[in-house]
Amino acid sequence: MEIDPDTTQALSPVDWHSYAECYDLLCDLNPAYASLIGDFSNFLKNRAFAENATILDLGGGTGNFLAHGLTKELSRANLLHLDSNAAMLEHARQKYTSRGLKVELVHADAAEHVFEPRSLDCVLTVNALYAMRQPERILKSVYQALKPGGYLFFVNLGRIQNTLDWTMYLLARNFLRLGPRRLISILRNEGAVIAKANRAIAQAQRQQQYWRHTTIEIGEYLAGLGFQIEDLRPCYRGYSDLAVCTKPNRAIELSHVASLSRSHTFAFSSELPTPV
């Protein structure tokens, strides 16, 4: 499909077009990123998804998680990839085509996109929501869009990035594998673009333009929306949080609450904690 030019690029503190051109190369150097793809693949392997399940990668970037993390059993699932950046989508399209994956690309702002209620079996979003407009509103829409029993595989950047820390990490992990000349060349070229983007991201985080949260805060927020949390932990070298959540089947949920209420007294609150 053809991707229309972005209309919101000038509003972002980050040049996502330039970021997209270098993103995959830097991810190849980053074991922490590869570990997240492994986490997603293991998540899929340990869940009983139907072959025709509908799976959405929300803020899917260049498509690495569906391209590299999807299990063979789900290669013919109904796959969707939503992103607001045209360059990211074009890289994803090429990647999916080369792997024979049929993925519907959706060029849209997630804050404005209308998700059909109870239409999705799984939503994954990896280090994307923090930079989106109205992430809380998007998560509420995701909850409504999931079918009862559906899953959210959630990874989000919650802490301010340290660019020097990441540079030293990549140097240490790749020095012997690539050699100093090749590695320094990458870091001076593609790495400089990524470092500039990461500095802009960190500045936006400091100014509270981008969403920040602790692991506890994001867990409380997701639970407040109605999700049942199966796994919650820091990841990505402590900068991000990973949560595996389910949207409860309403009948099961009510039965469970009724059972507990015979021996417990509950105090319910309508207020949701707001991450800062």
Side-chain angles (χ1 to χ4, degrees):
M1 61 174 287
E2 293 185 1
I3 307 297
D4 294 330
D6 290 303
T7 58
T8 60
Q9 181 69 21
L11 302 178
S12 174
V14 180
D15 182 356
W16 295 111
H17 281 292
S18 297
Y19 194 89
E21 298 304 318
C22 305
Y23 186 76
D24 285 343
L25 177 58
L26 267 294
C27 288
D28 287 342
L29 305 180
N30 189 347
Y33 186 83
S35 179
L36 290 179
I37 295 177
D39 286 334
F40 175 61
S41 186
N42 288 332
F43 156 77
L44 292 178
K45 291 175 183 176
N46 293 321
R47 304 306 185 286
F49 286 107
E51 291 184 357
N52 64 342
T54 301
I55 300 174
L56 166 67
D57 190 347
L58 181 63
T62 62
N64 287 320
F65 278 75
L66 291 182
H68 301 300
L70 199 67
T71 60
K72 182 178 179 181
E73 293 77 12
L74 290 171
S75 61
R76 297 187 181 278
N78 297 313
L79 304 174
L80 307 171
H81 175 132
L82 185 148
D83 203 283
S84 63
N85 183 268
M88 293 283 189
L89 285 170
E90 179 56 26
H91 282 280
R93 183 192 64 77
Q94 295 177 19
K95 197 172 296 177
Y96 296 145
T97 299
S98 69
R99 286 161 176 75
L101 288 175
K102 184 178 180 182
V103 182
E104 180 181 346
L105 300 178
V106 182
H107 187 203
D109 181 340
E112 300 295 334
H113 187 73
V114 177
F115 298 95
E116 183 179 348
R118 300 191 174 197
S119 61
L120 303 173
D121 295 284
C122 177
V123 174
L124 68 136
T125 180
V126 179
N127 285 341
L129 270 172
Y130 75 92
M132 294 182 184
R133 295 186 305 111
Q134 302 176 315
E136 301 98 330
R137 175 182 173 183
I138 294 170
L139 280 172
K140 291 177 183 178
S141 297
V142 165
Y143 185 86
Q144 296 299 321
L146 283 169
K147 299 175 183 177
Y151 286 92
L152 170 65
F153 183 89
F154 173 95
V155 177
N156 201 52
L157 184 68
R159 268 73 72 193
I160 296 174
Q161 294 195 97
N162 183 322
T163 304
L164 178 59
D165 174 55
W166 275 113
T167 300
M168 298 306 296
Y169 171 76
L170 296 177
L171 279 169
R173 294 303 186 276
N174 294 280
F175 188 84
L176 293 178
R177 183 171 71 91
L178 296 178
R181 182 175 298 180
R182 172 61 176 155
L183 182 56
I184 291 173
S185 175
I186 291 173
L187 293 178
R188 281 180 174 175
N189 294 283
E190 293 86 356
V193 175
I194 297 297
K196 181 179 179 181
N198 285 341
R199 287 193 294 270
I201 290 169
Q203 183 64 17
Q205 289 175 305
R206 292 188 188 95
Q207 296 174 348
Q208 298 186 350
Q209 184 177 353
Y210 283 172
W211 203 18
R212 291 166 54 192
H213 50 74
T214 67
T215 306
I216 292 175
E217 286 170 338
I218 197 60
E220 291 176 343
Y221 190 82
L222 291 168
L225 290 177
F227 284 108
Q228 290 183 345
I229 300 176
E230 294 187 0
D231 187 14
L232 175 66
R233 53 187 167 88
C235 65
Y236 207 53
R237 306 183 61 241
Y239 287 102
S240 299
D241 297 307
L242 185 154
V244 175
C245 311
T246 56
K247 178 178 179 177
N249 181 301
R250 189 61 177 167
I252 295 176
E253 182 186 28
L254 290 175
S255 174
H256 180 61
V257 171
S259 175
L260 291 175
S261 65
R262 286 192 287 269
S263 57
H264 296 276
T265 301
F266 295 90
F268 293 98
S269 172
S270 61
E271 292 189 8
L272 299 178
T274 302
V276 295

